[in-house]
Amino acid sequence: MLKNYLKIALRNFRKHKIYTFINIFGLAIGIACCILILLYVQDELNFDRFYSKADRIYRIVEKRITPEGENHVAYTMPLLGETLVKDFPEVEASARFFQGWRLTVKQGENRHIVRNYYFTDASFFDIFDFELLKGDPQTAFSEPNSVVLTESEANSLFGDANPLGKPLKIDAEDFAAFGEVPFYVTGVMRDVPHNSHLDFRLLMSAATLDRFTDSWIPGWLYSWNSGGFVTYVLLKEGHDLTALEAQFPALSEKYRGKEAWKEQQFYLQPLSDIHFYSTHIAFEEHRSEGELTYVYVLALIAFFIVLIACINYMNLATARSINRAKEVGLRKVVGAMKRQLSGQFLSESMLTSVIALLIAIVLVELLLPQFNTLAGKQLAFDLTANKILLGGMIGIALLIGFISGSYPSLYLSKFQPVTALKGAISSTTGASRLRRVLVVTQFTLSIIMIIATLVVFQQLDYMQTKQLGFNQEQLAVIDINHDDVQTNFMTIKTELLRHPAVNGVAVSSRVPGDWKHFRRIVALRENDSEEAGQTMFFNGIDEDFLETYQIELLQGRNFDRNLASDSAAVILNETAARALFNDSPIGNIVCVPKSKFEGNVIGVVRDFHFHSLHSKIEPMVMGFMPEGGRHAVHGIDYFTLRINAANMQGAVAHATQVHEQFDPINPIELDFLDGWLDKKYEEDTRAGNIFGIAAALAIAIACVGLFGLSAFMAEQRTKEIGVRKVLGASVSNIILLLSKDFSWLVVISILLAAPVAYLVMNNWLADFAYRIDIHWWVFLLAGGLALLISLLTISYQAIKAAIANPVESLRYE
C-alpha cells in the first residue's frame, strides 16, 4: 500500500511541476532556516555545559552592600575557595583564577602581548576537564613557573616543535619580578571551545605567586581583606546548595569578624547560569554575555518561517482540491476507505517534506559559513556527532509533513462520491475561508518581522550616529604597556606631535568605549559625612584631553600644566555637578575619603557617553594627570591621537616608530576609537541582520505561496475572464478583479500585525537608556512594502490571464 501511495505521489509531482516546486522550495527554505537557527539556539543553550561535571560547578559571586544599593562582583577573597573545601565536606574542590592587565610572551624571535591569561590552581583540571594534548593534568600546575598553552598559542610560539619543557620569557606589567625567571611549558591543551565563558591563551600556575616573598604579593594572597580572584568550586554529588549557602554568614564571621557580612556577602552561581544571567555582575571574566531574549526570538522566528512554509502547502493543496475531487470520488466508488485516502494524501505531504529536508541539508552546508559570520559563531553541521540535531531534523520534517498534510488529507477524503464525480465541488466552501485565514496569518507574521527589522535598524542607526558629546572620528588609541612610557608621557606626546597629520595628543586613565572598567569612587562634598558619599566614575586626564576629544566646557576652565595647584583640581561632567552641587560647583571641594584625595572643582563639561547607549550617563570626576603619569586616584593607560584623515597611514607608522623607541619590549597596541564603540553594539547589529534576513525570507516564502495560489485562482477563472473580455472588460479591469481578493487580505494582515509589532518592539527598546520612538510611518512603510510585494506577485498571473485570447478560454464552452 505504501509503495502504491508513493507511486501516486510521484505521478502527481510530475503532473503538477509548478505546484510541486513551490511546495518543496518553500519547505526547503523554511527547514534550512530552522536548522541554522536551531544550531545557534543549541550552541547558546549549551554554553559551559560540555564539562562532565558542569551541573556541580559553581562560581562564587560577591555581593557588596553600599548606601546606594547592592553591587555584585565576580571577584572574591583569595582564601575563600580553599577555606570552603576545608570547612565544608560537600565542597569537593576549588580553583582560583587571577588575571593581571597584560603579559608580553617571548620565545626566540616570537613575541606578542597576551591579555586573556590566568594564574590558576593545581586543581584546575579536577574541575574543568579540558583536553590536554601534551603533558599530565595532575602535575601541570603543581610547580611554580609552570605554563600550559592552548594549541593555537603553542603553534604561534613554537610552530611544529614539541613545546613541553621549553622555556618562555614572560614580562608582566603587574609582576615586574616575573622577568627575572624563566617559565616552562608543562602542557598543551586543545583550544577553549567557543561556547565556554572562559577564554584564554595560556594558564600559569598560581604557585608562581608564592615565590615572590619579598614583594606585596604574600600580603595580598593571604588576606581576607583583599580580592581580585574569580573562584570556582566543585560540589559533591547530591549536594544541597541552599543548606550550604545558609552556612556562609557563620563562615564570614569566623574569618572576617561579626560585622563583615553586613557589607560583603557571597553566594554560588551555577556554571550554566553564567552566560545568560551575569549582566548585573561586574569584574567577571566572560568571553561574551548571552542574551536569552534573542535566543527566544530566534526560535520564534524559526517557528514562524516553518509555519509560513506549511501554510503554503495547505493553501495550495486545498485550492487544488477541485482538480482532485473526481479522483477521490472514483476511488471511493471502487472501495477506497476514508483512512486510506487520508493516508495517501498524508504520504504525499510526508514525501514532499522529506525531499525538502534533503534539499535543506544541502542549503545548510552551503550557507553555514555565511551564517557563522553573521551570527559571530563557529557552528558545525555534523549530524554524526550531533544526535540531538539529527533527531530534531527528522522530527521537524515529519511534523511539518503531518501538519502540512493533515487538513488537506481530511478535507479531500471527506468528499461525497456522487458530488465529486458530478464535478459539483465548489471553491467557495469552507476551504476558501480557511485559505483566506492562512494567507492573513502568513502576511501578519511577515509584516511583524518587517516592522521589527525596521525598528532594530533605526535603533542601530541612532546609536551609531547619535552625538556622544565628543567627536569619535579619526581618534587612534594606543594602550600603554610599560611603566617607562607612563613616566615619560610628556616627552612621548611631543614626539607624536612631530608628525604633521597628528593634530592632537592626550593621555588618560580610560577612554570612552573602553573594554577595561572605569574606576568607581565614592565622592562627597567637603565637610559631609561619609554616609552622604555618592558613587561616581573617575578618569585621570591631561590638559589636552578635552580639546582632543572635542568635549564642550560649559563652566570654569580647563586644566593648566603651568599651575601647580591644578594637581589637586578636578573637572566634573554635568551629572556629577548636579548630584554634588546643583548648579554652582566651581570653587567647591570634592573629597574621595578612601584615597584621601581632595579636589578643587575648576570646570564642568557637557555630559558625554563613556559607555554604550544601553546605559545612562553617570556622574564622572576627572582629575589632572601630573608628570610621571600617576594621579592620587589613578594612573594613565592610554594615548589618544587625533589624526588627519588625509595621511592616516603615515601617522600610524610614525606612532609605531615612537612607541618602539620608548617601549622596545611590547608591540604597539593601536586601535581606532570608533571601532571600539561599534563593538559595543555587535550583538544588536547581529540581531538586526538576522531579523532582516528572516523577514526577507518570510515575505519571500509567503509570496511564493501567493504566486502559486494566484496562478491557480486565475486558472479556475479562465472562462469567467474570457466572458468578461468578450463583454468589453479591459485589461486593467481584469487585473483589478484578480488582485482585490488578495489585496484586502494583506490590508487585514497589516491591521493585525501593527499592534503586536508595536508591543514587542517597544518592549525590546526598553533595554536601551537612549532609544528611538516608534513612529507611525514605520507601520505604513512595512504594510506598504508587504502590499506592494504581494501585488507584484499577483500581477504577473493577473496580467497573463488578462491578455490571454478569450477564444482559447471559451473554445470548449
Side-chain angles (χ1 to χ4, degrees), residues 497-703:
L497 285 166
R498 290 185 187 280
H499 196 279
V502 178
N503 297 331
V505 180
V507 297
S508 58
S509 305
R510 297 288 182 265
V511 296
D514 201 343
W515 61 271
K516 303 172 189 173
H517 298 285
F518 277 79
R519 179 164 184 183
R520 285 185 179 271
I521 60 171
V522 175
L524 47 88
R525 294 174 296 189
E526 189 178 23
N527 300 322
D528 279 355
S529 64
E530 290 193 22
E531 287 73 20
Q534 301 182 55
T535 301
M536 299 186 177
F537 287 105
F538 180 87
N539 196 20
I541 65 173
D542 69 352
E543 68 274 23
D544 295 314
F545 184 84
L546 300 184
E547 182 180 354
T548 301
Y549 277 83
Q550 299 178 9
I551 296 171
E552 183 180 357
L553 186 68
L554 298 178
Q555 298 181 41
R557 63 176 178 83
N558 192 9
F559 294 120
D560 187 342
R561 193 161 293 278
N562 295 318
L563 296 176
S565 59
D566 275 10
S567 62
V570 295
I571 293 174
L572 309 179
N573 70 351
E574 291 177 275
T575 304
R578 283 193 301 268
L580 288 172
F581 305 106
N582 295 323
D583 296 325
S584 304
I586 305 299
N588 286 289
I589 301 297
V590 172
C591 301
V592 184
K594 190 173 181 180
S595 302
K596 298 180 181 180
F597 170 75
E598 295 183 356
N600 177 41
V601 180
I602 64 168
V604 177
V605 297
R606 187 175 299 283
D607 279 342
F608 62 95
H609 292 273
F610 44 90
H611 289 137
S612 77
L613 295 181
H614 282 278
S615 54
K616 291 183 177 180
I617 294 176
E618 296 188 59
M620 173 171 280
V621 178
M622 287 169 281
F624 184 50
M625 193 61 62
E627 296 276 358
R630 287 290 172 184
H631 185 272
V633 183
H634 213 291
I636 63 168
D637 212 25
Y638 294 101
F639 289 104
T640 302
L641 287 65
R642 180 163 292 283
I643 299 176
N644 190 320
N647 192 7
M648 191 80 69
Q649 189 173 356
V652 170
H654 173 70
T656 304
Q657 184 180 1
V658 172
H659 178 273
E660 289 178 353
Q661 178 184 346
F662 288 90
D663 184 3
I665 297 174
N666 302 296
I668 189 171
E669 288 187 287
L670 185 148
D671 291 287
F672 285 91
L673 190 68
D674 51 2
W676 278 15
L677 294 170
D678 288 343
K679 287 180 181 178
K680 296 288 184 182
Y681 309 111
E682 279 184 347
E683 288 297 321
D684 302 305
T685 303
R686 287 182 186 133
N689 291 334
I690 292 173
F691 271 37
I693 293 172
L697 287 172
I699 198 76
I701 294 171
C703 286

Side-chain angles (χ1 to χ4, degrees), residues 1 5 332 336-346 409-410 413:
M1 184 65 74
Y5 287 164
K332 282 195 170 186
M337 301 177 66
K338 185 176 180 180
R339 60 181 175 79
Q340 292 174 316
L341 292 170
S342 296
Q344 175 193 327
F345 295 122
L346 266 177
S409 66
L410 293 172
S413 62

Side-chain angles (χ1 to χ4, degrees), residues 148-208:
V148 171
L149 305 174
T150 59
E151 188 176 10
S152 57
E153 183 71 6
N155 291 335
S156 174
L157 291 169
F158 295 94
D160 296 330
N162 184 356
L164 280 185
K166 299 288 179 62
L168 280 178
K169 180 74 171 176
I170 295 179
D171 290 318
E173 179 190 17
D174 301 301
F175 303 96
F178 284 0
E180 300 171 4
V181 292
F183 285 74
Y184 292 91
V185 179
T186 57
V188 176
M189 59 174 281
R190 195 173 297 281
D191 287 343
V192 181
H194 69 278
N195 57 347
S196 165
H197 81 280
L198 292 172
D199 182 26
F200 52 84
R201 287 161 60 181
L202 63 85
L203 297 171
M204 297 188 291
S205 60
T208 306

Side-chain angles (χ1 to χ4, degrees), residues 44 188 197 315 372 467 551 606 763:
E44 284 288 295
V188 176
H197 81 280
N315 263 340
N372 276 331
Q467 293 298 316
I551 296 171
R606 187 175 299 283
N763 184 59

Side-chain angles (χ1 to χ4, degrees), residues 128-149:
F128 300 98
D129 44 7
F130 289 107
E131 183 182 357
L132 205 61
L133 302 176
K134 293 181 175 68
D136 183 355
Q138 298 303 314
T139 60
F141 296 119
S142 59
E143 297 295 328
N145 294 80
S146 299
V147 176
V148 171
L149 305 174

